[in-house]
Amino acid sequence: DEEGLSLEALGAHVNPLQPDSSSHGLNSDTLNALLEFLVAQRSAEPRMPARVVIWSGTLSGRQSTPHPGNQNPGALAELVSWTRTWIPLLESADAQLLFKPHHAHVLFDADVMESFLEKIESAQIGLALDPCALLMPRNFHEREALLEKMLKRIGEHVRLVHLRDARIKQFAIELCGPGQGQMGYAGLLRQLRKYAPDAPLLIDGVESEQMLKRAREYVELQSKL
């Protein structure tokens, strides 16, 4: 369009550990219908988005609330099993299912992400990285080193990046648009160019067209530093 924007992904946000529930977004039936729609549409419209973003799985009833079971080996095994069932349909749709890691979900750090991707071994499965979703008050002070270390290990599997910002407020993390928080954006963008150079960047955390414009200008400026 006139802004030079394109549709890079569809957000379905199914919870793989509660696939019949729509409490976090859509359920498995709706995901199935979406992928079947993509199968039908891709031949007629090759530019249809081939990326579908979902959660990385949680046993909690609330998206950001931790659950002790999320870090058990059984939760990872369940995520792997559920994911494998979708690969044939993803291949038919020429689509990618991108899991969005979160500090309170199954895919909460680089070790688990690597293990998950190694078990799946499919080009149809990747990650939609939201760096700020992996931060907590206790690791916020080491955010730059943490994200660089993570990108070194899983960068090749990152197919989409959410660009938000974060700051500490009253001992909690507050999310906001790029340039409104304490993330080192110049360094983050350098790491993304190095380890995930082909991943589209999606500006997130803004609530108006004016905020989006300011955030886009900020990201463009920081990318030159």
Side-chain angles (χ1 to χ4, degrees):
D1 62 16
E2 62 183 15
E3 294 293 333
L5 302 177
S6 60
L7 185 59
E8 296 289 349
L10 297 172
H13 293 110
V14 176
N15 178 7
L17 297 193
Q18 297 176 347
D20 296 327
S21 170
S22 301
S23 61
H24 294 284
L26 306 181
N27 60 28
S28 285
D29 288 341
T30 313
L31 176 61
N32 187 76
L34 173 60
L35 292 176
E36 288 183 343
F37 172 77
L38 289 178
V39 170
Q41 294 297 313
R42 289 281 286 171
S43 57
E45 179 52 73
R47 293 184 61 194
M48 281 289 293
R51 303 178 183 93
V52 178
V53 179
I54 68 172
W55 297 119
S56 70
T58 178
L59 294 168
S60 173
R62 302 185 66 180
Q63 178 215 325
S64 300
T65 302
H67 189 289
N70 289 343
Q71 298 184 20
N72 289 338
L76 179 59
E78 185 176 342
L79 179 63
V80 169
S81 177
W82 183 89
T83 303
R84 285 175 175 157
T85 65
W86 293 97
I87 292 176
L89 185 53
L90 290 165
E91 291 174 342
S92 298
D94 190 22
Q96 297 174 350
L97 195 61
L98 307 185
F99 290 82
K100 188 175 180 181
H102 190 283
H103 69 82
H105 292 187
V106 174
L107 302 185
F108 67 96
D109 70 6
D111 287 341
V112 184
M113 293 179 211
E114 269 192 329
S115 178
F116 170 70
L117 294 164
E118 287 172 358
K119 293 176 187 296
I120 294 296
E121 289 186 313
S122 172
Q124 260 53 56
I125 304 301
L127 300 174
L129 186 64
D130 180 354
C132 292
L134 297 165
L135 299 177
M136 298 172 283
R138 68 171 180 264
N139 67 15
F140 191 76
H141 68 285
E142 55 182 357
R143 56 195 176 279
E144 294 181 12
L146 176 73
L147 293 173
E148 180 179 359
K149 182 179 179 180
M150 180 176 297
L151 281 167
K152 284 181 180 179
R153 296 178 62 180
I154 54 89
E156 65 181 297
H157 301 286
V158 173
R159 313 282 170 77
L160 182 74
V161 179
H162 287 255
L163 293 181
R164 292 195 287 181
D165 214 330
R167 56 195 173 217
I168 293 290
K169 184 176 181 180
Q170 296 180 347
F171 306 104
I173 288 185
E174 182 177 71
L175 300 174
C176 50
Q180 302 301 307
Q182 299 167 297
M183 297 290 288
Y185 250 85
L188 173 61
L189 293 170
R190 281 196 297 270
Q191 297 302 325
L192 289 171
R193 285 197 301 270
K194 183 175 182 180
Y195 297 110
D198 298 324
L201 306 180
L202 172 66
I203 290 177
D204 204 345
V206 296
E207 298 176 353
S208 68
E209 186 174 345
Q210 184 179 20
M211 292 175 65
L212 174 61
K213 181 181 179 183
R214 286 202 299 264
R216 188 175 181 180
E217 291 173 348
Y218 173 78
V219 170
E220 290 174 348
L221 175 62
Q222 293 297 305
S223 69
K224 298 175 183 178
L225 300 180

